[in-house]
Amino acid sequence: ASWTWIYVSFPRLGNFFILPAKPENISCIFYYEENFTCTWSPEKEASYTWYKVKRTYSYGYKSDICSTDNSTRGNHASCSFLPPTITNPDNYTIQVEAQNADGIMKSDITYWNLDAIMKIEPPEIFSVKSVLGIKRMLQIKWIRPVLAPHSSTLKYTLRFRTINSAYWMEVNFTKEDIDRDETYNLTELQAFTEYVMTLRCAPAESMFWSGWSQEKVGTTEEEAPYGLDLWRVLKPAMVDGRRPVQLMWKKATGAPVLEKALGYNIWYFPENNTNLTETVNTTNQTHELYLGGKTYWVYVVSYNSLGESPVATLRIPALNEKTFQCIEAMQACLTQDQLVVEWQSSAPEVDTWMVEWFPDVDSEPSSFSWESVSQARNWTIQKDELKPLWCYNISVYPVLRDRVGQPYSTQAYVQEGIPSAGPVTQADSIGVKTVTITWKEIPKSKRNGFIKNYTIFYQAEDGKEFSKTVNSNILQYRLESLTRRTSYSLQVMASTNAGGTNGTKINFKTLSISVLEIFFITSLVGGGFLILIMLTVAYGLKKPNKLKHLCWPDVPNPAESSIATWRGDDFKDKLNLKESDDPVNMEEDQVLKPYSAPTDFIDKLVVNFENFLEEVSTEELGKSQENILKEEKNKHVTSPYCLHHPPISTEIPQRKPQQLCSRIPEGTCSETKEQLFSSVQSLGPDHLCEEGEPNPYLKNSVTTREFVCLKNFKTKPKEKFSVAVA
């Protein structure tokens, strides 16, 4: 197979011919007696391009181009022809050529009439004044432009506005006079108002206006006041039945800015009773009336040196009069530079509304603002007329002829910020694992916006921080699942749309035991005591004698003691144990009194122990020993009087058994001796020698004496022991 190669020559991109773009949008202006300038709008060129402007003039008999010096290079799109080649009147043709290294591109030919494209200098205003005797009119005077055709009729545009307004109004007129000074009377203005004026002009056939002249200010003549807008604030009735009504008025909408009133006349009377008319004169724009409970009519006029304003009328409803309600919903929203309030009404016949707004502060507002709205169901106010970070109460009242309906209110901020202060917090009802947190609302003057929510931050010592968020209408929250006996730190943050601010930081510590637990433990202990008491009572009912013996043991009667029989009747006398039949002294005698033993009584008690055992009667001593062991339960008591007498150790003198047993029946002495000796041995020497504790039942009825006893009868004969003597 054979191949045939065909070579096609394609020039490189750099070798292509790229012509300049065709000039478009050619525009020419004839600056009177200055120059003739043309401009166009070329596209962005890929390579360097220069332009030429070809002109034909003198109605086509002459032609020229922009000279090199006047020709604009470097992609600039303008060209000017200078005098003396400029002729007027004349018709020109203009064609623009664009040229680069690759070629030339020509525009379409355009035709221009110099009178139609002539532009002259602006006029110069030198006077704006009112005319004496002519109200609501200003006369403007200016100088005709020097660089303007003397034979041409000029057209003018006069622009004006009030000095405090940003909206301009215009009026057009023409002047055929060729006088240098021109005059124009501007009518239908507001009385006693400052106006700002500016003026421009152009030849009658031209499409191009001159620039605006410098502004000039003038003031119209003063007139009688224009009128008043009247409103009221109804306050609660007083104790005596009178109603405070605060009247407020201001210049009516559209009144002159500079209007001044010398004073205001007020008169009012009950409805259908003009005989009770009362009048008030004031120089303020507010006045408080005290009216009764009936319907009243109020009239207000303002006056100055030129007359009075139209009468402003207001009806004050009766105290018990029911007002109509027709506003169903209302909302306030912010635009870029305005606050807009819109509402919906169920009464189509109502077409007048009174909008009232004032700052929402903690105290009673000192001033109210209001404005009447007609033929609309919305109201706007510039943001710069309201204070930022302030909450405003906005109320809309429907007005049907002379009756005012029930208002509908809302609140709005034109700008929100973070609160100036946080909530004041405290901890209440602290428990083992719970605590109740309460906080106070931030004062209205420090909120700086609508409070959206509250956030509670709490943290244990060296622990993790937790948070809880609640709605703005909640001022109390109960925290749960805390740790027993733990210290916590806590604070509450109040948040608006702009941010949040933390309140005061508080510390608290959870309890180690709760009140419920204390109550439970107390109930258990009390219940246990109650059960014990019930068991004790049941036991006492079942065995009354046993319980009585445990609680109230028998007290030995010293008068019945067998020791009294040891020494006979004289021994009883020395013990001074007497019984009396006198009922008055019965209780006194029953109380056992301490007894001071005489000297001979102590000597008689000191006996030889061995002889004592031989001589004492076994029967009598056995009974006495049994009674002592049973009632005192082997305990010995020491008389309190032993504290005043030191222990006495005596040698027991040797006495004959006959002497000891002389008062004991015969035949019993030896037996008694043996029984007593065996009893003493059974008690033991330690027991006999022990100093027993005082018995409460015998401490006032016995006298004790320390004796030398025998711990060991054979080896230690001189140890002491105590014998209780009843």
Side-chain angles (χ1 to χ4, degrees):
S2 61
W3 293 88
T4 301
W5 293 91
I6 300 175
Y7 294 91
V8 180
S9 177
F10 291 95
R12 290 177 300 174
L13 183 61
N15 294 332
F16 275 115
F17 294 103
I18 302 177
L19 297 176
K22 181 180 178 180
E24 302 285 351
N25 301 323
I26 298 173
S27 177
C28 297
I29 299 177
F30 172 40
Y31 295 97
Y32 184 72
E33 294 186 357
E34 289 186 0
N35 61 65
F36 178 83
T37 301
C38 294
T39 59
W40 56 93
S41 55
E43 295 182 1
K44 186 176 181 180
E45 302 292 348
S47 61
Y48 182 79
T49 303
W50 61 94
Y51 298 90
K52 291 182 180 180
V53 179
K54 292 183 177 181
R55 178 186 67 158
T56 64
Y57 62 99
S58 296
Y59 297 100
Y61 291 102
K62 295 180 181 181
S63 65
D64 61 354
I65 62 173
C66 284
S67 63
T68 304
D69 295 337
N70 293 333
S71 181
T72 309
R73 298 177 180 273
N75 295 339
H76 290 215
S78 68
C79 182
S80 297
F81 296 91
L82 302 176
T85 59
I86 300 174
T87 58
N88 183 47
D90 202 349
N91 292 326
Y92 289 176
T93 62
I94 298 296
Q95 186 179 33
V96 180
E97 291 183 359
Q99 183 179 358
N100 61 10
D102 295 328
I104 299 173
M105 182 63 68
K106 296 181 180 181
S107 69
D108 297 333
I109 298 175
T110 58
Y111 301 89
W112 304 95
N113 186 321
L114 294 188
D115 290 336
I117 59 174
M118 184 185 301
K119 185 173 183 179
I120 60 177
E121 291 182 346
E124 180 183 354
I125 301 176
F126 66 86
S127 175
V128 177
K129 295 181 178 179
S130 60
V131 178
L132 184 61
I134 303 177
K135 299 179 179 179
R136 303 190 180 188
M137 188 192 78
L138 287 175
Q139 188 176 74
I140 302 98
K141 293 183 179 181
W142 69 93
I143 299 175
R144 184 184 175 96
V146 176
L147 297 179
H150 292 285
S151 60
S152 299
T153 299
L154 299 184
K155 56 184 178 182
Y156 293 90
T157 299
L158 178 63
R159 188 168 68 170
F160 62 97
R161 63 177 174 85
T162 59
I163 197 168
N164 294 325
S165 175
Y167 301 98
W168 291 91
M169 294 171 283
E170 293 183 353
V171 58
N172 296 315
F173 58 91
T174 60
K175 283 290 186 178
E176 297 181 356
D177 299 334
I178 60 174
D179 295 336
R180 184 167 177 81
D181 295 341
E182 302 284 351
T183 302
Y184 183 79
N185 294 327
L186 183 62
T187 59
E188 298 181 359
L189 301 178
Q190 296 180 7
F192 204 42
T193 303
E194 287 184 309
Y195 285 91
V196 179
M197 305 288 179
T198 184
L199 189 65
R200 70 178 181 177
C201 64
E205 301 86 1
S206 178
M207 68 177 69
F208 295 110
W209 288 90
S210 68
W212 291 102
S213 67
Q214 289 186 347
E215 295 179 353
K216 201 75 173 179
V217 179
T219 304
T220 56
E221 282 193 341
E222 186 178 7
E223 293 182 357
Y226 179 80
L228 295 175
D229 284 339
L230 182 61
W231 188 237
R232 84 290 186 274
V233 175
L234 304 180
K235 299 182 180 181
M238 302 174 67
V239 178
D240 57 1
R242 295 185 304 163
R243 285 184 299 164
V245 178
Q246 184 177 357
L247 294 178
M248 303 175 293
W249 57 86
K250 62 182 179 180
K251 291 188 292 187
T253 304
V257 177
L258 300 179
E259 178 183 278
K260 296 180 181 179
L262 299 179
Y264 305 92
N265 289 325
I266 307 169
W267 65 94
Y268 58 96
F269 54 85
E271 192 173 36
N272 301 326
N273 193 352
T274 59
N275 295 328
L276 299 178
T277 301
E278 297 186 38
T279 60
V280 178
N281 181 269
T282 180
T283 57
N284 300 321
Q285 289 187 311
T286 180
H287 186 76
E288 190 167 75
L289 301 177
Y290 292 90
L291 307 179
K294 301 179 181 180
T295 302
Y296 277 79
W297 285 92
V298 179
Y299 301 91
V300 181
V301 297
S302 62
Y303 60 90
N304 60 13
S305 59
L306 300 177
E308 291 185 345
S309 69
V311 178
T313 306
L314 188 64
R315 179 181 180 271
I316 307 299
L319 187 62
N320 56 356
E321 180 179 323
K322 294 184 179 180
T323 57
F324 67 94
Q325 182 177 4
C326 64
I327 300 178
E328 297 177 341
M330 185 170 67
Q331 65 175 1
C333 58
L334 294 173
T335 61
Q336 185 175 2
D337 58 351
Q338 290 180 332
L339 173 65
V340 180
V341 179
E342 298 178 342
W343 58 89
Q344 298 177 359
S345 174
S346 60
E349 66 275 9
V350 178
D351 59 356
T352 303
W353 318 86
M354 189 65 75
V355 181
E356 177 186 89
W357 69 96
F358 57 89
D360 184 18
V361 294
D362 297 309
S363 59
E364 185 177 354
S366 58
S367 62
F368 292 82
S369 301
W370 75 99
E371 184 176 341
S372 180
V373 177
S374 299
Q375 307 298 327
R377 294 182 181 178
N378 60 76
W379 171 76
T380 60
I381 186 173
Q382 298 296 317
K383 284 184 178 180
D384 54 9
E385 296 184 33
L386 303 175
K387 293 184 179 181
L389 307 182
W390 279 38
C391 179
Y392 284 87
N393 289 326
I394 303 174
S395 301
V396 178
Y397 293 79
V399 180
L400 183 60
R401 291 183 291 276
D402 56 5
R403 296 181 179 271
V404 179
Q406 189 173 349
Y408 198 103
S409 302
T410 188
Q411 291 184 323
Y413 283 88
V414 294
Q415 180 183 343
E416 292 191 50
I418 63 174
S420 302
V424 178
T425 312
Q426 64 180 11
D428 298 324
S429 303
I430 301 175
V432 176
K433 293 185 177 182
T434 61
V435 64
T436 300
I437 305 300
T438 59
W439 57 91
K440 297 181 180 179
E441 283 188 306
I442 302 174
K444 296 178 181 179
S445 59
K446 297 183 179 180
R447 294 178 188 175
N448 300 336
F450 293 114
I451 302 299
K452 295 176 57 181
N453 54 57
Y454 294 99
T455 304
I456 305 170
F457 298 97
Y458 60 99
Q459 182 180 12
E461 287 183 339
D462 302 327
K464 182 180 178 182
E465 185 179 62
F466 297 91
S467 64
K468 296 287 185 180
T469 301
V470 298
N471 295 330
S472 59
N473 59 344
I474 297 177
L475 299 176
Q476 178 177 307
Y477 189 78
R478 180 181 174 87
L479 295 177
E480 299 179 347
S481 302
L482 303 179
T483 306
R484 183 190 298 263
R485 200 178 181 182
T486 303
S487 297
Y488 284 86
S489 60
L490 180 144
Q491 59 185 352
V492 179
M493 180 180 71
S495 300
T496 64
N497 289 325
T501 300
N502 290 326
T504 56
K505 191 172 185 178
I506 63 172
N507 298 304
F508 65 91
K509 187 175 182 180
T510 53
L511 302 178
S512 58
I513 184 171
S514 66
V515 177
L516 183 62
E517 292 173 342
I518 295 175
F519 178 76
F520 181 72
I521 294 173
T522 305
S523 299
L524 289 179
V525 174
F529 277 115
L530 182 61
I531 293 174
L532 180 61
I533 292 172
M534 293 175 64
L535 292 176
T536 304
V537 172
Y539 179 76
L541 294 175
K542 186 176 181 181
K543 297 182 178 181
N545 295 332
K546 187 69 175 178
L547 182 62
K548 179 180 179 182
H549 178 71
L550 291 174
C551 296
W552 301 281
D554 295 335
V555 179
N557 189 353
E560 297 178 358
S561 175
S562 61
I563 196 171
T565 61
W566 295 353
R567 302 294 295 178
D569 295 337
D570 57 342
F571 185 76
K572 292 182 180 181
D573 296 337
K574 293 181 179 180
L575 289 177
N576 198 23
L577 299 176
K578 297 184 295 180
E579 295 183 1
S580 175
D581 296 332
D582 189 359
V584 177
N585 298 326
M586 184 66 68
E587 293 184 359
E588 183 178 355
D589 292 340
Q590 289 178 356
V591 178
L592 300 180
K593 301 180 180 178
Y595 174 74
S596 298
T599 305
D600 59 344
F601 177 69
I602 296 175
D603 295 338
K604 292 179 181 181
L605 288 178
V606 179
V607 294
N608 185 282
F609 184 74
E610 292 181 358
N611 295 333
F612 179 77
L613 292 178
E614 292 176 357
E615 296 176 5
V616 173
S617 173
T618 303
E619 180 181 0
E620 295 293 331
L621 189 59
K623 292 180 181 180
S624 176
Q625 181 68 24
E626 181 180 358
N627 186 37
I628 293 172
L629 292 177
K630 178 178 179 181
E631 297 297 332
E632 298 302 322
K633 297 184 179 181
N634 299 327
K635 294 183 179 180
H636 295 275
V637 297
T638 304
S639 172
Y641 297 96
C642 293
L643 297 175
H644 303 285
H645 302 284
I648 300 174
S649 298
T650 55
E651 295 289 342
I652 303 175
Q654 297 290 333
R655 305 183 75 170
K656 295 181 179 182
Q658 290 81 8
Q659 293 175 348
L660 295 174
C661 297
S662 62
R663 296 182 181 277
I664 301 176
E666 298 179 359
T668 62
C669 182
S670 60
E671 296 177 0
T672 302
K673 178 181 177 181
E674 292 176 359
Q675 292 179 2
L676 182 60
F677 187 79
S678 62
S679 300
V680 171
Q681 285 185 340
S682 64
L683 292 174
D686 295 334
H687 186 81
L688 289 174
C689 298
E690 180 183 0
E691 292 184 5
E693 296 179 359
N695 191 315
Y697 304 105
L698 296 177
K699 65 180 181 179
N700 293 326
S701 61
V702 296
T703 302
T704 56
R705 186 65 183 228
E706 293 186 356
F707 292 89
V708 177
C709 65
L710 298 177
K711 239 180 187 182
N712 191 336
F713 293 106
K714 295 181 179 182
T715 61
K716 299 179 180 180
K718 291 186 179 183
E719 287 193 5
K720 298 178 182 181
F721 72 96
S722 298
V723 175
V725 179

